[in-house]
């Protein structure tokens, strides 16, 4: 490793001395390494860029370019800058947000990464970027029979798309197994085992693009939650009730022809390899009253394991899911209020809960989180570390008079990396907790009082003898 | 009245429901338990003395016992009557015993003579409370005997009638003073009996009548095992068949209690009784429009005639006839009961089905030239219809027992369900199940059926499966379509599915759908319900395709293959060539590409 870095360093120095081609924006990438992980149905790309400013003006932001097809499937872009050297190396996160550029060729889309401090002329910095793509593996053949393995296409470019000149670059693609049907040859490219290596390529100008297709076997269960609605209901009497409604689908190659149970049962490894029948939901610790059901009743196949750090709910849909099959179900549980609700200032509270989907290793196409605040709460505001669509609703539950405020958060394309805490702040007067009991008590009091009064009133005209 | 079991013996659709069988003694004991012994006592009590009210109670119990003897489900009629009679019996018994106890206890303090007189006084006071004198009672009573029927004149009188005899009986029972120990013991025993009865009732309610019959459980040495196959299959049907996806997401979790759904329970099997098969044959749910009986008959007639008519009988004619002859009621039923083909598509196939010798006749029919042309047109019409078919629903066919379940849980339209009144309709499905694959495919596709659902218990030993009900399908089918003959399915009068079974049985659709690839599970195809190895082990399906089988193989769903490789001209020619002998026809049929 150290040797490699050393040789790189030599190389960079050589580059600095040799070609210093000034690109239009003044930045150039000295060294780019890209690693594409195709092991699951979520594509994760790790990009390391070493950037130098060749312009006189200090640079404050770095642009990342994406082809329009990829941009639509981007679930997340994260950037960090390395601080310190070697042993003391640490990463500090940077802000990455989508931007528009006036002179974008072929509909190229951009993310801009703001640097911590402007990059002066001649300075270099190293950015670590992670971006996640969903629905980027296209099953081919589109329909497979029960005993067939699932083959998929992945399309990308051998050369990193960038608005800057890239002096030196290499791409490594990791496939889940050694079964790679074919891949586009862009010399130098070679495959060893489950690793495809494109590059190194030297000195490619801005917006160089060289499309490649990798056709390989991926039997990872393509579990996609088409719609997920999470309802988090806060009760100040001590509990947070969570209800998650799932609409699950297997987004891999469609199942074709017959489904034979005998084959599925007798050859678990050979038949229906891309299907899945278990899912793991990770729930908060100290959950209680967990239920798992669908529209026709309780689903009897689930297991709950709890410990002090987390609870794991192993659920099994009613039937194994093959490509194109769907299932809907509902998971509900209660968690203690004190774990998630905190007081920020007198009268102001905030809920701290995790965003995203409880089920591990899934993509959620459309996630709706509804935080039902207790009746009488005011001024709700949300803190989420990424962009979501927000709206407010009213909900009426038992004995509600003015209705409960519901904070609705919507996000598309949610991946496990979105499983981070978010906060909902609101103001709440504890007196409202007494509203419902008082209402009930007064109703009964009035009822009894009325009956007492009725029994004591003598409405007869003549006096009783 | 002489032949009260006629329906449950000779009408297969009624006989096939085990609830319609006469009850056995164990079932009486299971359902009414100690009441069975208390009822006679209650009857005796009603005769001491007999009044209008008590004679009504006696008549009530007698008639309800009679009717409950006809079929098991009429136990429901017996239950309230038995409760009333047992209540009377218990009340009388407690009356006697507590009075004896009271008599003895009071008697210890005073001397017995005074005691008796005091007791009589007490009784008289009670009588006074009713403000009826002894004389009145006597006169009234004589009146009662004279005109018993007119005694319901007024409520007040009725009330008096109840009070008066009780007074008389009390006066009479003054002499029935039992020893103290005996009475205490008897009261204790009666209370114990009642307590035991409560325990029994709770047990029966929990085990026999509340067990969700679609979630089956079996207790083995390694704990409780759950068989949730029915819901597995229904959930699969509702989510993975592309038809008619009406349920929106928001609705789909609305609480939907499947109250209609009931059926077998394992407890019944444990008792050696299988009489809770299918309970709801005759019940009418309010979601169905009431159908006037005449309309049904009319509908049946129309179906029968339309089916038997020659091919030139066109659809439009049929439709006209049906719409003129039937009321709007029938049209409603038509919508629900898709036996009436809505396109030209179904017509020919149905003809084939009802013609005497099934499919062979169909080919013979179309020999003559102009008819062939017409058939050709028909086919073209059918192709044209295909685009329209997309908006039609595809139906799920199963035996009617699973109709409600499929409707409620899988949200799919079924061909026949638990409320299908049309015998022909059920018989059509029975015929399809009893027919060979090809004929069955014709019937089903004429009904727009896309999926066929069978229940199979052979792998886990679930006795109420379709193979065990199959003979009823044959009988019901054969009742309407005479080419299905019950003896063809029986070897020497015995129903069997092993190697001794008849070829008709082994080639029937039900056999094939139930045992398709079953032999691959254990290598020899051992059926755990019939306790035998199956007769035909290795076979392929040509017109059906297995699309889903549940974890324990209890529900198997098949899809009708589409006839896409059909070469039209060739089939026609072979048909026209095949003239007279059935053997040559068979050969040509073998060459049929979609055979």
């Amino acid at each position: 490793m150290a040797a490699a870095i050393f040789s790189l360093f030599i190389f960079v120095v050589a580059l600095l001395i040799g070609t210093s081609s000034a690109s239009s924006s003044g930045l150039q990438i000295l060294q780019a390494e890209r690693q594409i992980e195709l092991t699951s149905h979520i594509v994760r790309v790790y990009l390391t860029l070493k950037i130098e400013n060749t312009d006189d003006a200090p640079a404050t932001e770095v642009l990342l370019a994406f082809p329009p097809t990829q941009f639509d499937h981007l679930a997340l872009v994260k950037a960090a800058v390395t601080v310190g050297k070697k042993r003391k190396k640490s990463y500090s996160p940077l802000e990455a947000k989508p931007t528009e550029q006036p002179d974008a060729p072929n509909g190229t889309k951009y993310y801009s990464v703001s640097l911590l401090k402007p990059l002066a002329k001649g300075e270099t910095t190293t950015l670590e970027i992670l971006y996640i793509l969903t629905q980027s593996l296209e099953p081919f053949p589109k329909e497979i029979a029960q005993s067939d393995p699932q083959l998929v296409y992945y399309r990308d470019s051998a050369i990193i798309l960038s608005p800057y000149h890239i002096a030196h670059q290499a791409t490594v693609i990791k496939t889940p197994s050694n079964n790679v049907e074919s891949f586009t040859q862009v010399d130098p490219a070679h495959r060893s085992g489950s690793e495809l290596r494109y590059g190194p390529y030297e000195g490619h100008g801005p917006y160089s693009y060289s499309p490649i297709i990798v056709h390989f076997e991926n039997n990872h269960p393509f579990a996609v939650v088409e719609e997920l609605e999470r309802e988090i209901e806060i009760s100040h009497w001590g509990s947070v009730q969570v209800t998650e409604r799932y609409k699950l689908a297997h987004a891999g190659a469609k199942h074709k022809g017959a489904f034979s149970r005998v084959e599925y049962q007798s050859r678990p490894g050979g038949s229906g390899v891309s299907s899945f029948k278990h899912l793991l939901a990770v729930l908060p610790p100290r959950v209680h009253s967990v239920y798992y059901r669908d529209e026709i009743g309780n689903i009897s196949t689930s297991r709950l394991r709890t410990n002090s750090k987390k609870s794991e709910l192993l659920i099994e849909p009613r039937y194994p899911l093959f490509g194109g099959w769907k299932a809907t179900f509902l998971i509900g549980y209660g968690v203690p209020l004190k774990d998630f609700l905190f007081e920020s200032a007198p009268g102001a509270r905030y809920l701290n809960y995790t965003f995203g989907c409880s089920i591990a290793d899934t993509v959620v196409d459309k996630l709706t989180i509804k935080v039902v605040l207790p009746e009488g709460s005011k001024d709700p505001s949300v803190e989420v570390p990424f962009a979501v669509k927000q709206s407010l609703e009213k909900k009426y539950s038992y004995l509600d008079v003015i209705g409960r405020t519901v904070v609705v958060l919507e996000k598309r394309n949610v991946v496990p990396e979105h499983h981070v805490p978010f906060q909902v702040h609101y103001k709440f007067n504890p007196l409202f907790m007494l509203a419902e009991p008082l209402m009930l008590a007064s109703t009964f009091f009035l009822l009894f009082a009325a009956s007492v009064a009725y029994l004591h009133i003598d409405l007869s005209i003549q006096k009783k003898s | 009245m002489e032949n009260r079991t006629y329906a449950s013996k000779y009408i297969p659709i009624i006989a096939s429901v085990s609830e319609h069988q006469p009850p056995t003694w164990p079932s009486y004991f299971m359902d009414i338990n100690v009441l069975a012994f208390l009822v006679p006592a209650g009857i005796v009590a009603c005769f001491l003395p007999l009044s209008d009210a008590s004679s009504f109670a006696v008549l009530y119990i007698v008639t309800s016992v009679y009717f409950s003897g006809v079929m098991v489900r009429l136990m429901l009629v017996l239950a309230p009557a038995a409760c009333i009679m047992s209540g009377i019996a218990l009340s009388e018994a407690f009356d006697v015993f507590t009075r004896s106890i009271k008599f003895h206890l009071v008697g210890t303090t005073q001397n017995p003579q005074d005691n008796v007189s005091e007791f009589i006084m007490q009784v008289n006071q009670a009588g006074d409370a009713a403000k009826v004198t002894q004389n009145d009672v006597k006169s009234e009573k004589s009146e009662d005997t004279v005109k018993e029927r007119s005694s319901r004149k007024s409520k007040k009188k009725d009330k008096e009638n109840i009070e008066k005899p009780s007074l008389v009986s009390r006066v009479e029972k003054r002499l029935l003073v039992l020893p103290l120990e005996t009475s205490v013991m008897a009261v204790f025993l009666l209370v114990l009996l009642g307590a035991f009865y409560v325990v029994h009732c709770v047990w029966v309610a929990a085990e026999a009548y509340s067990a969700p019959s679609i979630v089956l459980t079996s207790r083995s040495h390694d704990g409780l095992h759950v068989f949730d196959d029915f819901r597995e299959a229904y959930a699969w049907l509702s989510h993975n068949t592309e038809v008619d996806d009406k349920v929106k997401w928001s609705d789909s979790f609305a609480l939907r209690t499947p109250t209609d759904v009931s059926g077998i329970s394992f407890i019944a099997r444990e008792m050696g009784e299988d009489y809770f098969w299918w309970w709801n044959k005759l019940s009418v749910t309010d979601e169905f429009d009431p159908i006037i009986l005449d309309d049904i008959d009319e509908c049946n007639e129309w179906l029968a005639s339309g089916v038997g008519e020659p091919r030139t009988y066109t659809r439009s004619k049929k439709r006209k006839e049906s719409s003129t002859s039937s009321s709007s009621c029938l049209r409603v039923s038509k919508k629900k009961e898709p036996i009436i083909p809505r396109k030209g598509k179904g017509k020919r196939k149905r003809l084939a089905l009802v013609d005497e010798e099934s499919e062979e006749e169909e080919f013979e029919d179309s020999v003559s030239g102009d008819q062939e042309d017409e058939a050709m047109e028909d086919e073209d019409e059918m192709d044209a219809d295909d685009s329209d078919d997309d908006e039609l629903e595809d139906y799920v066919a199963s035996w009617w027992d699973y109709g409600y379940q499929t409707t409620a849980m899988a949200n799919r339209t079924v061909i026949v369900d638990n409320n299908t009144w049309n015998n022909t309709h059920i018989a059509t499905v029975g015929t399809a199940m009893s027919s060979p694959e090809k004929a069955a495919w014709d019937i089903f596709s004429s009904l727009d059926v896309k999926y066929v659902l069978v229940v199979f218990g052979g792998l886990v030993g679930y006795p109420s499966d379709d193979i065990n009900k199959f003979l009823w399908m044959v009988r019901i089918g054969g009742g309407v379509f005479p080419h299905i003959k019950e003896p063809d399915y029986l070897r020497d009068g015995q129903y069997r599915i092993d190697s001794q079974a008849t070829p008709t049985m082994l080639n029937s659709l039900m056999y094939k759908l139930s045992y398709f690839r079953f032999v691959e599970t254990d290598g020899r195809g051992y059926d755990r319900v019939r306790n035998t190895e199956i007769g035909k082990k290795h076979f392929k399906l040509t017109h059906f395709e297995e699309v889903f089988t549940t974890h324990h193989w209890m529900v198997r769903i098949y899809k009708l293959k589409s006839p896409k490789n059909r070469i039209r001209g060739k089939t026609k020619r072979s048909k026209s060539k095949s003239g007279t002998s059935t053997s040559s026809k068979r050969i040509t049929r073998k060459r049929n590409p979609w055979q």
Side-chain angles (χ1 to χ4, degrees):
Chain A
M1 187 67 195
I5 287 171
F6 184 67
S7 63
L8 273 177
F9 184 68
I10 298 283
F11 183 69
V12 166
V13 169
L15 265 176
L16 279 176
I17 294 163
T19 58
S20 57
S21 65
S23 77
S24 57
S25 61
L27 286 175
Q28 76 160 337
I29 297 171
L30 301 177
Q31 174 82 25
E33 273 182 53
R34 185 169 57 156
Q35 188 177 333
I36 304 172
E37 275 194 10
L38 303 177
T39 45
S40 74
H41 63 309
I42 301 168
V43 178
R44 291 187 173 83
V45 183
Y46 300 93
L47 197 62
T48 309
L49 301 175
K50 189 166 188 185
I51 300 168
E52 187 200 24
N53 191 4
T54 53
D55 208 7
D56 288 333
T60 53
E61 59 171 26
V62 177
L63 290 178
L64 303 173
F66 296 97
T69 47
Q70 267 192 4
F71 188 82
D72 295 339
H73 297 146
L74 262 183
L76 185 78
V77 177
K78 270 184 172 178
V81 66
T82 46
V83 183
K85 284 190 177 171
K86 297 206 174 162
R87 294 283 168 86
K88 287 176 187 168
K89 208 152 87 173
S90 66
Y91 297 99
S92 52
L94 299 174
E95 193 191 354
K97 57 177 190 297
T99 50
E100 297 279 325
Q101 290 290 319
D103 53 345
N106 293 334
T108 309
K109 307 275 183 161
Y110 299 92
Y111 263 80
S112 82
V113 177
S114 324
L115 296 174
L116 281 182
K117 54 177 192 284
L119 205 61
K121 187 180 181 184
E123 274 185 339
T124 61
T125 184
T126 307
L127 293 183
E128 298 284 347
I129 289 146
L130 162 69
Y131 61 90
I132 295 173
L133 300 167
T134 57
Q135 298 168 357
S136 297
L137 299 180
E138 180 201 342
F140 189 86
K142 283 193 184 334
E143 290 188 337
I144 54 170
Q146 192 179 348
S147 53
D148 296 341
Q150 179 172 268
L151 297 171
V152 293
Y153 277 146
Y154 176 70
R155 295 163 210 271
D156 207 335
S157 164
I159 296 155
I160 299 166
L161 186 71
S162 173
Y164 310 119
H165 179 91
I166 303 178
H168 185 90
Q169 62 175 306
T171 296
V172 175
I173 298 177
K174 278 193 179 162
T175 56
S177 69
N178 292 346
N179 297 340
V180 177
E181 290 282 303
S182 66
F183 61 95
T184 314
Q185 271 289 349
V186 181
D187 283 331
H190 66 276
R191 181 171 79 91
S192 59
S194 64
E195 248 188 33
L196 269 171
R197 192 173 181 88
Y198 282 95
Y201 304 113
E202 311 273 337
H204 276 282
Y207 301 111
S208 301
Y209 196 77
S210 162
I212 53 166
I213 290 182
V214 187
H215 192 204
F216 62 101
E217 185 179 326
N218 187 342
N219 288 320
H220 194 273
F222 279 37
V224 171
V225 181
E226 291 181 337
E227 269 180 70
L228 168 60
E229 189 190 308
R230 300 179 86 192
E231 193 178 273
I232 302 164
E233 190 166 346
I234 302 166
S235 160
H236 278 256
W237 291 99
S239 164
V240 176
Q241 190 65 37
V242 185
T243 315
E244 303 179 348
R245 294 181 172 84
Y246 288 88
K247 207 170 174 183
L248 185 76
H250 187 301
K254 293 246 184 310
H255 180 68
K256 179 178 72 181
F259 164 70
S260 169
R261 178 65 76 163
V262 66
E263 266 180 34
Y264 185 71
Q265 278 173 340
S266 59
R267 298 192 294 128
S271 175
V273 278
S274 61
S275 71
F276 60 93
K277 59 184 205 178
H278 296 290
L279 291 168
L280 185 74
V282 182
L283 307 180
R286 290 187 288 283
V287 291
H288 59 85
S289 38
V290 181
Y291 59 90
Y292 169 47
R293 66 177 180 88
D294 67 359
E295 59 265 43
I296 52 175
N298 176 50
I299 305 174
S300 46
T301 43
S302 62
R303 263 171 196 74
L304 179 70
R305 278 188 294 264
T306 50
N307 61 31
S308 59
K309 291 214 175 92
K310 63 182 176 193
S311 310
E312 284 183 335
L313 179 69
L314 189 70
I315 56 176
E316 202 174 303
R318 289 196 186 272
Y319 39 84
L321 266 88
F322 280 79
W325 289 12
K326 289 173 184 179
T328 56
F329 55 88
L330 184 150
I331 300 174
Y333 52 89
V335 283
L337 185 75
K338 62 176 173 14
D339 291 7
F340 297 98
L341 195 78
F342 307 95
E343 202 162 353
S344 51
R349 280 149 226 267
Y350 70 95
L351 172 88
N352 187 31
Y353 208 80
T354 41
F355 201 84
C357 164
S358 307
I359 294 181
D361 210 8
T362 49
V363 176
V364 184
D365 284 349
K366 188 185 171 199
L367 171 69
T368 312
I369 293 186
K370 291 184 175 179
V371 182
V372 183
L373 301 175
E375 200 180 16
S377 22
K378 280 176 293 218
D379 308 331
S381 66
V382 186
E383 261 182 54
V384 192
F386 32 78
V388 290
K389 203 173 129 195
Q390 294 182 22
S391 56
L392 288 180
E393 274 179 14
K394 274 266 183 232
K395 185 193 171 182
Y396 289 90
S397 183
Y398 303 111
L399 296 174
D400 281 355
V401 180
I402 51 171
R404 298 170 187 219
T405 311
V406 182
V407 179
V408 185
L409 308 174
E410 270 181 66
K411 179 155 176 62
R412 295 192 164 269
N413 241 346
V414 178
V415 288
E417 275 75 3
H418 286 118
H419 207 76
V420 290
F422 72 100
Q423 290 82 33
V424 179
H425 296 264
Y426 63 96
K427 289 203 174 74
F428 181 72
N429 189 348
L431 275 179
F432 272 102
M433 283 168 72
L434 296 174
E436 283 168 10
L438 281 179
M439 206 158 66
L440 275 182
S442 52
T443 311
F444 278 102
F445 176 76
L446 285 177
L447 189 74
F448 290 129
S451 67
V452 165
Y454 177 74
L455 289 176
H456 281 80
I457 287 173
D458 187 4
L459 289 174
S460 58
I461 298 167
Q462 66 192 48
K463 278 190 177 176
K464 276 176 191 165
S465 56
Chain B
M1 268 313 223
E2 302 109 70
N3 201 352
R4 62 197 168 86
T5 53
Y6 177 81
S8 54
K9 269 185 190 154
Y10 300 108
I11 301 177
I13 199 150
I14 294 173
S16 71
V17 183
S18 48
E19 276 195 348
H20 296 164
Q21 300 305 311
T24 52
W25 286 113
S27 75
Y28 270 112
F29 192 71
M30 165 101 173
D31 287 346
I32 61 176
N33 203 250
V34 293
L35 303 191
F37 307 111
L38 289 173
V39 164
I43 294 172
V44 171
C46 280
F47 278 98
L48 297 172
L50 194 67
S51 70
D52 279 1
S54 64
S55 62
F56 171 74
V58 170
L59 285 176
Y60 184 22
I61 187 75
V62 167
T63 45
S64 61
V65 165
Y66 173 79
F67 282 115
S68 75
V70 178
M71 50 172 80
V72 180
R73 60 183 299 136
L74 292 181
M75 201 70 86
L76 285 172
V77 179
L78 174 65
C83 288
I84 291 169
M85 297 315 281
S86 317
I88 291 170
L90 278 178
S91 153
E92 290 295 324
F94 276 120
D95 208 18
V96 170
F97 295 133
T98 49
R99 190 155 14 89
S100 322
I101 293 168
K102 203 171 177 185
F103 178 76
H104 284 292
L105 289 181
V106 179
T108 48
T109 53
Q110 295 166 15
N111 72 55
Q113 277 300 323
D114 292 351
N115 213 339
V116 172
S117 60
E118 195 182 274
F119 188 70
I120 293 168
M121 267 176 65
Q122 265 189 335
V123 170
N124 279 337
Q125 273 169 7
D128 286 344
K131 293 185 179 174
V132 182
T133 63
Q134 198 82 1
N135 292 335
D136 274 347
V137 174
K138 269 172 190 166
S139 62
E140 285 276 348
K141 207 187 172 189
S142 58
E143 230 178 69
D144 281 349
T145 48
V146 176
K147 40 172 188 175
E148 218 169 31
R149 297 203 109 208
S150 60
S151 63
R152 276 200 199 169
K153 271 177 189 168
S154 67
K155 266 189 186 173
K156 203 180 173 185
K157 221 174 184 180
D158 236 18
K159 204 177 169 185
E160 280 173 359
N161 282 344
I162 299 166
E163 306 255 4
K164 277 171 259 152
S166 70
L167 173 73
V168 175
S169 69
R170 273 186 208 170
V171 175
E172 280 171 0
K173 275 172 194 162
R174 182 166 51 96
L175 302 170
L176 285 175
V177 176
L178 297 167
L180 178 67
E181 296 76 24
T182 323
S183 338
V184 171
M185 203 58 202
V187 167
F188 176 71
L189 283 176
L190 279 180
V191 170
L192 200 70
L193 190 73
F196 170 74
Y197 181 56
V198 169
V199 171
H200 174 83
C201 287
V202 170
W203 178 81
V204 169
E207 294 288 318
Y209 293 115
S210 312
S213 55
I214 53 157
V215 185
L216 306 166
T217 53
S218 78
R219 287 183 188 88
S220 64
H221 53 90
D222 55 345
L224 193 75
H225 198 81
V226 179
F227 297 87
D228 208 352
D229 285 38
F230 284 103
R231 289 195 300 176
E232 181 183 347
Y234 295 135
W236 184 86
L237 260 183
S238 74
H239 290 304
N240 299 311
T241 54
E242 54 284 281
V243 286
D244 181 33
D245 202 5
K246 274 184 287 196
V247 181
K248 280 191 296 182
W249 165 251
S250 52
D251 301 338
S252 63
F253 274 116
L255 255 185
R256 212 187 290 152
T257 43
T259 44
D260 308 328
V261 179
S262 177
I264 15 70
S265 59
F266 265 31
I267 192 76
R269 174 184 157 212
E270 279 161 23
M271 289 184 62
E273 286 286 326
D274 199 9
Y275 57 79
F276 299 117
W277 260 22
W278 305 108
W279 68 300
N280 211 357
K281 187 68 196 90
L282 291 178
S283 71
V284 185
T285 58
D286 42 8
E287 64 185 294
F288 283 85
D289 300 19
I291 301 171
I292 301 165
L293 207 61
D294 289 346
D295 281 348
I296 293 177
D297 285 344
E298 211 175 320
C299 180
N300 277 339
E301 259 169 49
W302 169 74
L303 274 172
S305 63
V307 163
E309 287 284 330
R311 185 159 305 162
T312 44
Y313 194 78
T314 60
R315 275 214 59 73
S316 55
K317 237 186 197 171
K318 265 193 203 173
R319 204 166 258 166
K320 238 179 256 164
E321 266 202 14
S322 69
S323 58
T324 49
S325 67
S326 58
S327 66
S328 59
C329 241
L330 181 68
R331 275 199 289 278
V332 171
S333 74
K334 254 160 61 181
K335 205 165 62 190
K336 303 238 151 133
E337 300 173 348
I339 189 157
I340 297 140
R342 282 146 305 155
K343 301 285 171 200
K345 194 180 174 182
K347 189 179 64 179
R348 268 180 330 116
K349 280 160 192 158
R350 186 197 309 286
L351 285 174
L353 142 79
V354 190
D355 282 346
E356 289 297 312
E357 285 304 318
S358 81
E359 56 204 307
E360 272 106 9
E361 302 293 316
E362 179 191 11
F363 294 114
E364 258 179 353
D365 269 0
S366 52
V367 171
S368 67
D370 45 354
Q371 269 187 350
E372 197 180 317
D373 286 347
E374 198 189 306
M376 201 75 141
E377 278 168 24
D378 231 49
E379 230 156 65
D380 292 341
E381 190 190 325
M382 173 182 150
D383 287 353
D385 282 344
D386 276 351
S387 55
D388 294 345
D389 278 356
D390 292 349
E391 57 201 65
L392 294 177
E393 289 177 80
D394 289 310
Y395 296 102
V396 178
S398 65
W399 195 231
W400 58 260
D401 303 352
Y402 314 106
Y404 274 173
Q405 297 185 353
T406 313
T407 312
M409 297 200 179
N411 191 31
R412 289 290 172 271
T413 318
V414 292
I415 286 292
V416 284
D417 71 9
N418 311 41
N419 196 31
T420 304
W421 286 38
N422 190 333
N423 191 23
T424 316
H425 212 149
I426 293 180
T428 311
V429 175
T431 307
M433 293 295 191
S434 332
S435 305
E437 226 188 310
K438 167 76 172 68
W441 188 92
D442 285 342
I443 296 170
F444 279 144
S445 58
S446 76
L447 296 173
D448 283 345
V449 166
K450 199 167 178 192
Y451 295 96
V452 182
L453 181 148
V454 293
V455 172
F456 170 64
L459 188 79
V460 287
Y462 168 66
S464 304
D465 66 350
D466 277 351
I467 290 281
N468 270 2
K469 293 173 196 164
F470 182 50
L471 215 49
W472 290 113
M473 302 184 202
V474 173
R475 277 179 200 157
I476 293 168
V480 178
F481 304 105
H483 69 278
I484 301 288
K485 297 184 189 71
E486 192 184 335
D488 292 347
Y489 297 84
L490 301 174
R491 174 75 71 195
D492 304 327
Q494 275 190 311
Y495 178 66
R496 52 200 312 169
I497 44 99
D498 55 6
S499 50
Q500 297 296 305
T502 60
T504 323
M505 175 73 209
L506 296 181
N507 284 320
S508 66
L509 184 72
M510 180 50 75
Y511 180 91
K512 285 193 165 178
L513 297 191
S514 289
Y515 293 115
F516 179 61
R517 299 190 77 173
F518 178 56
V519 70
E520 291 170 47
T521 53
D522 60 350
R524 59 195 187 112
Y526 186 81
D527 187 317
R528 286 191 180 80
V529 174
R530 269 65 61 176
N531 285 323
T532 175
E533 273 185 38
I534 60 173
K536 196 173 173 185
K537 292 177 181 173
H538 301 278
F539 56 87
K540 277 180 182 165
L541 294 175
T542 38
H543 300 289
F544 292 86
E545 182 179 57
E546 181 187 8
V547 285
F548 191 70
T549 298
T550 57
H551 188 250
H552 301 101
W553 289 55
M554 272 163 55
V555 184
R556 311 193 70 181
I557 301 170
Y558 292 84
K559 191 180 180 180
L560 269 76
K561 277 189 190 165
S562 53
K564 52 185 165 192
N565 292 332
R566 187 176 194 175
I567 304 166
R568 210 176 285 160
K570 216 174 184 178
T571 344
K572 290 277 177 253
R573 236 172 284 131
S574 68
K575 267 193 252 169
S576 55
K577 267 179 208 162
S578 70
T580 46
S581 76
T582 44
S583 63
S584 69
K585 241 178 282 160
R586 285 233 170 82
I587 293 161
T588 52
R589 276 207 295 128
K590 264 175 198 159
R591 276 197 260 122
N592 190 331
W594 47 291
Q595 185 73 24

